[in-house]
Amino acid sequence: MKIIKIFALLGLSVCSLFGHAQINKQIQVRSELSSPIILEGTPETNYLKVSLSGQNIDSKKRVPINLAIVIDKSGSMSGQRIEKAREAAILAVNMLNENDTLSIVAYDSEARVIVPATKVDNRLRIIGLINENIYAEGGTALFAGLSKGIKQVENQLTKDKVNRIILLSDGQANIGPSSVNELSQLAIIAAKKNIAITTLGIGSDYNELLMSSIASYSDGNHVFVNNSADLENVFVHEFNDLMSAIAQDVVITIQLKNGVKPVRLLGRDGVIKGNEITVKMNQLFSNQEKYVLLEVIPDKGKVGQEKTLAQVDLKYDNLLENKTENETQVVRISYTKDKKMVDDAIHQDVLVETELQKVALENEKALELYNQGKRDEAQQLLRENGEALKAISAQSPTMSMSDKERIENQARKNKTLAESVQKPDFSKTLTEEQFQLKQSAIKK
């Protein structure tokens, strides 16, 4: 009875205290603040998390895939690397079916379409073309190869398909446009067409900043493949994602109300224009949660007040039903003078993601130090970041076991990274780790 009275006095709704969630057929959307109740007159930094969780689907009803595999066949790929690239491409052919579309582009000193975008209804013919044309020689015209891959996917582009490119390279782009900015612009063009690019960096000589930037700007994946023998496993992992896609062209718009100040987005990139924040995601899969994390400063309020902090608008293409869907949620914040009530209402899971994204920013500084030749300083910063996470876990007795595991798992990763600073592949390992962390995606 006392609890009911307290809620009545504060004018709280269950929605404002625990966040707002709605379950659709394929996607659960949840908008919540790290601190939905704050002390009156003393607004402090707060965090708004908007998460999209894909629901389990029947694998037999998966969406058709429109895929281009773009393979580096330059001279440095000779031997096991080109052999494994061929095997991975053939594996892809065998994992697709007649409803899927596949194209294969190979590039060395120039780019060539080996298999034009076609339905996978004649596997033997496609495999034959792969075996005949994928051999190592020449330079690395990565820009030309990726351009042709985008064009092939674009030729069969429809809203009812998962549009994807898998780009393999083991070296530096050295023919044609080759800067990070020039290749990133290609990725941005692809993203605008709802084409995501997954980049696979093979060995120790590729440009990790370039490859991770391509993946980031197109909302794809980035993987460091240290041993080319692991390529097939990486392809299987990628296809598990592709075959569970449920949404595409996802746009989240957050409109902050008067008096609420946006500070920054953590993890995912987006556009902050005045009090409107827009974040885009290319694809969402049934086996993951993707989220947007926005740091804000709430408006001041008085005891008993409940204010609207933000309106969250979601728009996406429902791939399984081939239609565009929209949803709007309202996020509210309440005020009290009871510190215990503030503490009890805190959403620990939101704070956990906040701390993980802050560590990602700090780890990025460690990567910069490493690239400047300051390896000891980079090592120390990575170690300190890991220790800080361990302290957060130890000092939070109310944290759930799953949240503790996420924090402690990243603390262990930081310790391992700190211990591997002197290894030759350190920058590639840290770049991949940073990419995964900043993608704001949680496997379910």
Side-chain angles (χ1 to χ4, degrees):
M1 198 64 182
K2 288 182 180 179
I3 293 175
I4 295 173
K5 287 180 180 178
I6 290 171
F7 271 56
L9 286 171
L10 288 172
L12 296 178
S13 65
V14 174
C15 168
S16 63
L17 183 60
F18 298 104
H20 184 81
Q22 180 175 336
I23 297 179
N24 296 326
K25 283 185 178 180
Q26 283 84 39
I27 298 177
Q28 179 180 3
V29 187
R30 188 174 185 89
S31 305
E32 57 188 346
L33 286 168
S34 57
S35 298
I37 305 175
I38 63 174
L39 293 173
E40 67 164 346
T42 56
E44 297 179 353
T45 298
N46 212 319
Y47 299 93
L48 171 60
K49 179 185 176 188
V50 181
S51 63
L52 312 177
S53 297
Q55 304 302 299
N56 290 331
I57 60 171
D58 183 349
S59 59
K60 295 178 182 178
K61 298 179 180 179
R62 73 168 179 85
V63 179
I65 295 169
N66 177 20
L67 173 68
I69 302 176
V70 181
I71 301 173
D72 178 353
K73 62 186 253 352
S74 60
S76 60
M77 284 284 290
S78 61
Q80 186 184 45
R81 289 180 183 177
I82 202 67
E83 290 174 12
K84 293 300 179 182
R86 276 197 302 267
E87 290 174 9
I90 291 169
L91 174 68
V93 174
N94 288 320
M95 292 185 74
L96 298 172
N97 63 36
E98 64 277 4
N99 295 317
D100 301 312
T101 303
L102 176 66
S103 55
I104 297 176
V105 175
Y107 65 95
D108 42 46
S109 298
E110 59 183 20
R112 191 158 62 94
V113 178
I114 302 301
V115 179
T118 184
K119 293 289 186 182
V120 186
D121 53 9
N122 188 337
R123 289 193 176 93
L124 289 178
R125 183 181 68 84
I126 297 173
I127 291 170
L129 289 170
I130 292 170
N131 284 326
E132 289 171 18
N133 294 279
I134 305 299
Y135 50 85
E137 64 177 0
T140 309
L142 196 155
F143 187 96
L146 183 55
S147 296
K148 285 187 181 292
I150 293 171
K151 181 64 177 175
Q152 288 301 309
V153 173
E154 190 178 5
N155 287 343
Q156 299 294 323
L157 196 66
T158 58
K159 282 192 171 186
D160 61 346
K161 295 176 185 173
V162 183
N163 303 300
R164 197 80 163 193
I165 294 172
I166 299 178
L167 170 67
L168 292 80
S169 181
D170 76 333
Q172 307 279 331
N174 55 27
I175 294 177
S178 58
S179 70
V180 172
N181 181 60
E182 288 168 319
L183 270 298
S184 294
Q185 288 302 313
L186 264 189
I188 291 170
I189 290 170
K192 288 179 179 178
K193 300 176 187 293
N194 297 322
I195 302 170
I197 305 169
T198 287
T199 57
L200 309 182
I202 305 169
S204 58
D205 294 327
Y206 72 91
N207 185 332
E208 63 268 23
L209 177 58
L210 185 148
M211 294 288 272
S212 63
S213 294
I214 291 171
S216 179
Y217 280 113
S218 65
D219 200 26
N221 298 320
H222 169 64
V223 183
F224 165 38
V225 186
N226 187 32
N227 187 340
S228 54
D230 295 330
L231 259 179
E232 287 194 25
N233 289 335
V234 172
F235 263 63
V236 170
H237 185 273
E238 181 72 9
F239 271 73
N240 285 339
D241 273 354
L242 292 180
M243 292 179 175
S244 65
I246 56 175
Q248 196 160 252
D249 194 14
V250 180
V251 181
I252 298 171
T253 304
I254 302 171
Q255 184 67 54
L256 299 178
K257 298 305 178 180
N258 291 338
V260 184
K261 298 177 182 178
V263 179
R264 58 177 173 168
L265 285 161
L266 293 170
R268 287 188 165 272
D269 292 328
V271 176
I272 298 178
K273 188 175 182 180
N275 270 26
E276 184 175 278
I277 298 88
T278 305
V279 179
K280 297 183 178 181
M281 301 177 186
N282 204 316
Q283 290 154 358
L284 180 69
F285 308 106
S286 69
N287 58 354
Q288 71 176 192
E289 171 194 337
K290 285 188 175 182
Y291 65 84
V292 173
L293 198 57
L294 176 66
E295 185 176 340
V296 299
I297 299 176
D299 191 16
K300 293 181 180 179
K302 297 180 179 179
V303 172
Q305 273 190 313
E306 183 186 37
K307 293 185 177 183
T308 298
L309 181 133
Q311 177 176 305
V312 178
D313 293 303
L314 171 68
K315 178 184 176 184
Y316 63 93
D317 290 337
N318 184 327
L319 287 171
L320 297 180
E321 298 185 11
N322 194 19
K323 65 179 182 179
T324 299
E325 294 191 346
N326 298 273
E327 183 175 339
T328 296
Q329 296 187 349
V330 174
V331 180
R332 298 181 177 87
I333 191 164
S334 300
Y335 302 83
T336 183
K337 60 181 178 181
D338 186 339
K339 181 66 165 58
K340 185 176 185 303
M341 183 171 285
V342 172
D343 293 341
D344 289 346
I346 288 174
H347 287 132
Q348 290 286 351
D349 60 325
V350 178
L351 288 181
V352 164
E353 298 309 321
T354 298
E355 294 301 329
L356 289 173
Q357 291 303 331
K358 286 180 179 178
V359 163
L361 290 173
E362 291 300 308
N363 283 357
E364 211 160 71
K365 293 178 183 177
L367 184 57
E368 290 173 5
L369 288 169
Y370 177 87
N371 290 332
Q372 293 167 9
K374 301 175 182 178
R375 296 191 176 188
D376 290 342
E377 292 179 42
Q379 185 177 52
Q380 181 62 26
L381 184 53
L382 287 168
R383 191 174 287 126
E384 289 174 357
N385 293 342
E387 290 299 322
L389 286 176
K390 287 174 64 178
I392 289 169
S393 177
Q395 295 166 9
S396 303
T398 60
M399 188 182 293
S400 71
M401 290 303 296
S402 60
D403 287 337
K404 273 185 177 291
E405 178 57 30
R406 279 181 62 73
I407 285 281
E408 291 171 3
N409 183 50
Q410 186 58 46
R412 288 191 293 270
K413 286 182 179 180
N414 261 64
K415 181 181 178 182
T416 301
L417 286 166
E419 292 170 349
S420 64
V421 164
Q422 303 303 326
K423 294 182 179 179
D425 295 330
F426 169 77
S427 63
K428 289 175 171 55
T429 302
L430 180 52
T431 297
E432 180 188 31
E433 172 58 35
Q434 283 291 97
F435 183 89
Q436 301 299 335
L437 193 53
K438 291 177 67 179
Q439 281 297 290
S440 306
I442 303 170
K443 285 289 183 182
K444 293 170 64 179

